[in-house]
């Protein structure tokens, strides 16, 4: 018995339409999501630093970016949040305040100013693994 093309097409479209009606799975917290409690672990991941070409440009918070200040960009933390960033390889840490959004590179959790990055690693490293904790 052959299925007519119209019936086959109708069946296919019905299955596709019903598949689009499924409920998405609840989002599970990732290591990059930030809790709001003071002193709480925010997460861990990779950190990089802003290049010199961003110096003195406006950040998302409206502040001018200063590569010599201890600042950072984070995707979700409120502007002004103070964060302790610890290099997991050598244990060195720096406290920065969030004044920008980013990073926009997949797999990175925070972008640091050049001065902040230099406090915990050599800029030659470019990208390092870090742990983040909320300070304030």
């Amino acid at each position: 018995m052959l299925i007519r093309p119209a019936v086959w097409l109708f069946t296919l479209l019905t299955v596709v339409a019903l598949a689009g009606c499924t409920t998405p799975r609840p989002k599970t917290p990732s290591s990059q999501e930030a809790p709001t409690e003071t002193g709480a672990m925010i997460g861990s991941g990779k950190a990089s630093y802003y290049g010199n070409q961003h110096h003195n440009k406006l950040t998302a918070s409206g502040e001018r970016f200063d590569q010599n200040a201890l600042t950072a960009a984070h995707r979700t933390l409120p502007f002004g949040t103070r964060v302790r960033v610890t290099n997991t390889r050598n244990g060195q840490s720096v406290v920065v305040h969030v004044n920008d959004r980013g990073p926009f590179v997949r797999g990175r959790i925070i972008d640091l100013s050049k001065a902040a990055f230099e406090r915990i690693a050599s800029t030659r490293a470019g990208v390092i693994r870090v742990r983040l904790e909320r300070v304030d």
Side-chain angles (χ1 to χ4, degrees):
M1 175 172 120
L2 294 173
I3 300 177
R4 292 185 180 160
V7 174
W8 182 84
L9 182 60
F10 176 76
T11 305
L12 178 64
L13 290 175
T14 303
V15 169
V16 170
L18 290 175
C21 295
T22 60
T23 305
R25 289 185 289 167
K27 187 176 178 187
T28 57
S30 74
S31 65
Q32 293 187 2
E33 291 186 20
T36 57
E37 306 93 37
T38 299
M41 173 77 161
I42 295 171
S44 62
K46 293 179 182 177
S48 56
Y49 70 95
Y50 286 80
N52 296 337
Q53 69 271 23
H54 298 287
H55 184 69
N56 212 31
K57 297 212 172 132
L58 285 178
T59 64
S61 68
E63 293 178 36
R64 293 248 174 228
F65 173 67
D66 180 358
Q67 67 184 356
N68 302 309
L70 301 179
T71 60
H74 191 274
R75 287 185 198 97
T76 59
L77 288 173
F79 295 134
T81 301
R82 293 181 50 207
V83 178
R84 180 179 319 282
V85 181
T86 304
N87 181 333
T88 59
R89 185 171 217 147
N90 63 20
Q92 293 180 324
S93 66
V94 63
V95 175
V96 297
H97 83 271
V98 175
N99 71 345
D100 203 4
R101 290 291 169 232
F104 300 109
V105 176
R106 186 178 177 139
R108 296 195 190 160
I109 190 171
I110 197 165
D111 270 341
L112 301 172
S113 65
K114 187 174 183 182
F117 194 91
E118 289 175 330
R119 295 264 177 113
I120 61 174
S122 167
T123 54
R124 280 183 268 145
V127 178
I128 58 172
R129 295 218 29 98
V130 295
R131 183 179 64 249
L132 307 181
E133 313 173 62
R134 189 170 181 145
V135 175
D136 59 345

